Amino acid sequence: MTKQQSLLDHADRERVIDVDIAERMEQSFLDYSMSVIVGRALPDVRDGLKPVQRRILFAMWEAGLRPDRPYRKCASAVGDVMKKYHPHGDSSIYDALVRMAQEFSSREPLVDGHGNFGSIDGDSPAAMRYTEARLSLLAMEMLAGIDENTVDFVPNYDGYEQEPVVLPARFPNLLVNGATGIAVGMATNIPPHNLGEVIDACLLLIKKPTAKVEDLMKLVPAPDFPTGARILSTDGIRDAYLTGRGAITMEAVASTETRSGGLPRIVITEIPFQVNKAALLERIADLVKEKKVESIRDLRDESSREGMRVVIELKRGEDPARVLRTLYRLTDLRTNFNVNVVALVNGQPRTLGLRDALVEYVGHQRVVLTRRTTFRKEKAEARAHILEGLLLALDNLDAVIKLIRAAPSADKAREQLMSTFKLTEIQATAILDMQLRRLAKLERDKVKAEHTELKALIKELKAILADQAKLDAMLTAELKALKAAHANPRRSRLVAGAAEPSADEDAAAAKAGDRSSGELLVDDDLPELEAQPVTLYVTRGGYLKSVPRRKASKPHTQPNDPVVAVLRATTEDTVLLIDSDGGGYRIGVGDIPVTTLRQRGTSIAQLLGDSADTTIAGALLLTSEVETVLTVSARGLVKRTERSEFEGRLRTMIAAGVKDDDAIVAALACRETDHVLLAHSGGLVIRFAAEEARPMGRAAAGVAGMSVPKGERVVSATVAPGDDDQAWVLTVDTDGGAKRTALGEYPAKGRGGKGLQTGAGSLAFCGVGGDLHVPAAGEPVLLEVERLPQAKRPAKCAPMTAAVQGPAVAESGRLQ
């Protein structure tokens, strides 16, 4: 061995460092854990996004995949994300993109997908080369202001690109869309919430920073799942909002029906969040095969694009309510969502309660607005600086032109402008670049006007930066505008929690022939929900359909189940329904699921837990403007009852007494000064003052309002202000003819008379009201008042539509 080799070996031994293998493994595991936690699994509390989600949205924004532009292949977006920002497999990126596009996974989807993005049955999405996507409108709010220095950017994984650390997130996405993730040694499971409710909670925190969780829960009473379903009001919700951990009980929305032959059935229209519908049906089928549930004779899935509909056919004589309770206990029709709100706060994982999450979000928004305002101020100051130079040049135009013409070069001209007129290099360059058209008087005036506007803007922006109250006022205004543009009604209804019956209790109930009495109580302690404007359709078969409010109500789409009332309501209102047997049902509009117009709606049995069939005669809103409730029978009996008799804790009640050969056909809100119009099928109508029918108790049958011949029946009843003879009376016959006539042509008479001719031989409707939803043969139609031909009272109706199937119904929103 040479001397040189010996020296090298000695040097190698000097570089050897002894390491404890346990300590090195522990440190390596911690480094890996934090890498997974921060870089992949947990969302940031500020924008509610994991890194892959944030990178997808930013890459799509960079690529111009915006709501007003065409869809592009998902493969293109996934390729951009993988190439520039996310050094992982394409399948994980595509899975994250798909989830942000699924309406049953995200409460407010951030990706607008076009194609097969999977289903609630667990079907996989099509390959990324087949599907297309672009950003949703709400996703643009997540990215709004990102080009105004509102957030920090860092180099991407290879240093060639810059990516945002967090998005501006102009709405609280962490709570609105929730999050699910499994890291190393920890996990997060955040339920989605209603956008409008969460924004209201943010506004409360801005106004009252000391607000407690109890105050916030009045605005955010519970999560709001994209699949709807019911949430039981239990202590688990409060625990989740206080500590960030808790269990929320969800249960499917199901109603009971009786098909021809008296065979009962259960119809499921909403299932709990994250429940696989196909697996749920398979579980029910297994219970039948194993003879754990012997009441079911058939099971089928009738779901379509119009909504979910799972039908469970029962054997004759079975009690649907008992079977449903058993299915709640044995299947995922009732399940828990285990809340674990873990998110990154300043780069560190932290468990957050409701208030903690909102405080962090509001703080982020204050930073975003401060940085955006600073950016706009500096941009305005830079522009104003240039305009000041241009104005100086315009004021000394001759000298400037002479100086430029005499200069040997542009650089020399710039130097002389700077030294002669005390200009900066930027101002001098702007003067040299100024177009000759700017020398015109009108152009000079534009420069002065722009400079004046910029000075005012700079002053305003400086005032905002100097005053926290003004910054908060701007934040409040922008959150309110976002809520007005994007908020929608709650889908998951909050109901009073109840102990789940045991198997022994179920068996005892079945043996005793247990049936719901309908004597349900309202939970007055439930948090109040944000009022949302809706249009409520009430059908004769006992279905209620709440749809988002439009300027004009569209026709009801179920020809075999006509509407009896169309009410303009809010989710804070209470609706009173009265059936043909005189039964009354009081239901909160907020408890009725918001659906599309094409869906059938929700049955009374489903809302009240009563499986009995009923025929609804009328409906009205129990608002403070209602003085009395008017009920009318087929034989012409009328009765007025004070509104207070229908209020209280009882949800089902006797609303009107009915004789053996009679039935209730209408229920209306009525004031003491109103006039009542009754019409029977023989073509006669009578008008009398409402005060002629004195108020009576709920159980009374009433007094004679109209003399109705044998073989005829009252087909319509309306009320109108007693002093308004200019209102229109609408007349529709059973052949589809219609007309409008001034109310003054129907003079008021005493109640109990025979009435006046309407010009219709066989009458379907005659009364004062709004537009008519007519159950015509084929497709139901909407008769608009202003488009009907005007005619005298005795004149015949002009042909308008096909034969009317039963009485038409007036939209009662204008009267109530």
Side-chain angles (χ1 to χ4, degrees), residues 474-612:
M474 182 168 65
L475 175 57
T476 297
E478 293 189 8
L479 285 174
K480 286 182 177 179
L482 190 143
K483 176 189 171 184
H486 298 287
N488 49 57
R490 166 176 280 274
R491 296 178 189 173
S492 297
R493 299 186 306 286
L494 186 63
V495 298
E500 185 178 345
S502 64
D504 294 338
E505 290 173 334
D506 263 343
K511 184 176 181 180
D514 179 42
R515 294 291 188 273
S516 174
S517 65
E519 302 279 320
L520 300 181
L521 301 181
V522 178
D523 189 351
D524 292 332
D525 295 328
L526 291 180
E528 295 183 4
L529 303 182
E530 175 74 13
Q532 300 288 341
V534 294
T535 299
L536 182 64
Y537 292 75
V538 181
T539 73
R540 188 178 305 281
Y543 279 79
L544 292 85
K545 180 163 48 180
S546 181
V547 301
R549 178 81 64 83
R550 299 287 190 272
K551 286 186 177 180
S553 302
K554 295 184 178 180
H556 177 60
T557 56
Q558 299 290 336
N560 297 323
D561 189 13
V563 289
V564 296
V566 182
L567 307 170
R568 297 295 181 91
T570 72
T571 50
E572 285 186 347
D573 290 334
T574 299
V575 61
L576 173 67
L577 293 81
I578 297 178
D579 65 23
S580 57
D581 295 327
Y585 310 90
R586 192 164 55 83
I587 299 172
V589 176
D591 294 334
I592 303 168
V594 176
T595 64
T596 62
L597 190 61
R598 299 193 63 83
Q599 291 179 287
R600 188 173 185 184
T602 308
S603 69
I604 297 176
Q606 180 177 331
L607 292 166
L608 296 180
D610 189 348
S611 59

Side-chain angles (χ1 to χ4, degrees), residues 407-720:
S409 66
D411 290 339
K412 197 65 176 177
R414 183 183 298 106
E415 292 174 4
Q416 291 178 0
L417 284 172
M418 293 168 62
S419 60
T420 303
F421 297 101
K422 307 299 182 185
L423 299 173
T424 64
E425 183 177 351
I426 295 175
Q427 290 174 321
T429 301
I431 292 172
L432 292 174
D433 293 340
M434 185 171 58
Q435 298 172 329
L436 289 175
R437 62 182 177 83
R438 286 294 184 95
L439 302 180
K441 184 178 185 304
L442 184 60
E443 291 295 325
R444 296 170 66 185
D445 291 341
K446 287 183 180 179
V447 173
K448 290 181 179 179
E450 184 183 357
H451 182 260
T452 302
E453 290 177 4
L454 283 174
K455 296 297 285 186
L457 176 61
I458 293 168
K459 182 179 179 181
E460 179 184 350
L461 296 176
K462 285 183 176 179
I464 292 172
L465 292 172
D467 190 345
Q468 180 71 40
K470 290 185 178 180
L471 187 75
D472 284 349
M474 182 168 65
L475 175 57
T476 297
E478 293 189 8
L479 285 174
K480 286 182 177 179
L482 190 143
K483 176 189 171 184
H486 298 287
N488 49 57
R490 166 176 280 274
R491 296 178 189 173
S492 297
R493 299 186 306 286
L494 186 63
V495 298
E500 185 178 345
S502 64
D504 294 338
E505 290 173 334
D506 263 343
K511 184 176 181 180
D514 179 42
R515 294 291 188 273
S516 174
S517 65
E519 302 279 320
L520 300 181
L521 301 181
V522 178
D523 189 351
D524 292 332
D525 295 328
L526 291 180
E528 295 183 4
L529 303 182
E530 175 74 13
Q532 300 288 341
V534 294
T535 299
L536 182 64
Y537 292 75
V538 181
T539 73
R540 188 178 305 281
Y543 279 79
L544 292 85
K545 180 163 48 180
S546 181
V547 301
R549 178 81 64 83
R550 299 287 190 272
K551 286 186 177 180
S553 302
K554 295 184 178 180
H556 177 60
T557 56
Q558 299 290 336
N560 297 323
D561 189 13
V563 289
V564 296
V566 182
L567 307 170
R568 297 295 181 91
T570 72
T571 50
E572 285 186 347
D573 290 334
T574 299
V575 61
L576 173 67
L577 293 81
I578 297 178
D579 65 23
S580 57
D581 295 327
Y585 310 90
R586 192 164 55 83
I587 299 172
V589 176
D591 294 334
I592 303 168
V594 176
T595 64
T596 62
L597 190 61
R598 299 193 63 83
Q599 291 179 287
R600 188 173 185 184
T602 308
S603 69
I604 297 176
Q606 180 177 331
L607 292 166
L608 296 180
D610 189 348
S611 59
D613 291 334
T614 186
T615 299
I616 300 300
L620 65 143
L621 299 176
L622 290 176
T623 62
S624 58
E625 289 79 15
V626 176
E627 295 178 3
T628 60
V629 175
L630 175 75
T631 55
V632 183
S633 78
R635 302 300 303 154
L637 296 180
V638 298
K639 183 200 65 170
R640 286 196 303 128
T641 304
E642 298 289 346
R643 183 192 75 234
S644 59
E645 295 206 26
F646 296 95
E647 297 175 335
R649 296 180 64 84
L650 212 60
R651 296 183 70 181
T652 62
M653 65 199 79
I654 297 174
V658 182
K659 297 183 178 180
D660 292 340
D661 60 343
D662 206 353
I664 301 298
V665 295
L668 301 164
C670 186
R671 295 183 291 267
E672 190 81 17
T673 57
D674 285 338
H675 280 189
V676 180
L677 275 79
L678 304 183
H680 68 62
S681 54
L684 299 181
V685 64
I686 190 171
R687 174 185 175 187
F688 60 87
E691 62 184 1
E692 293 186 25
R694 62 180 180 82
M696 302 179 182
R698 285 192 286 110
V703 295
M706 184 180 194
S707 177
V708 180
K710 188 175 181 179
E712 309 292 351
R713 68 194 310 270
V714 172
V715 293
S716 64
T718 57
V719 296

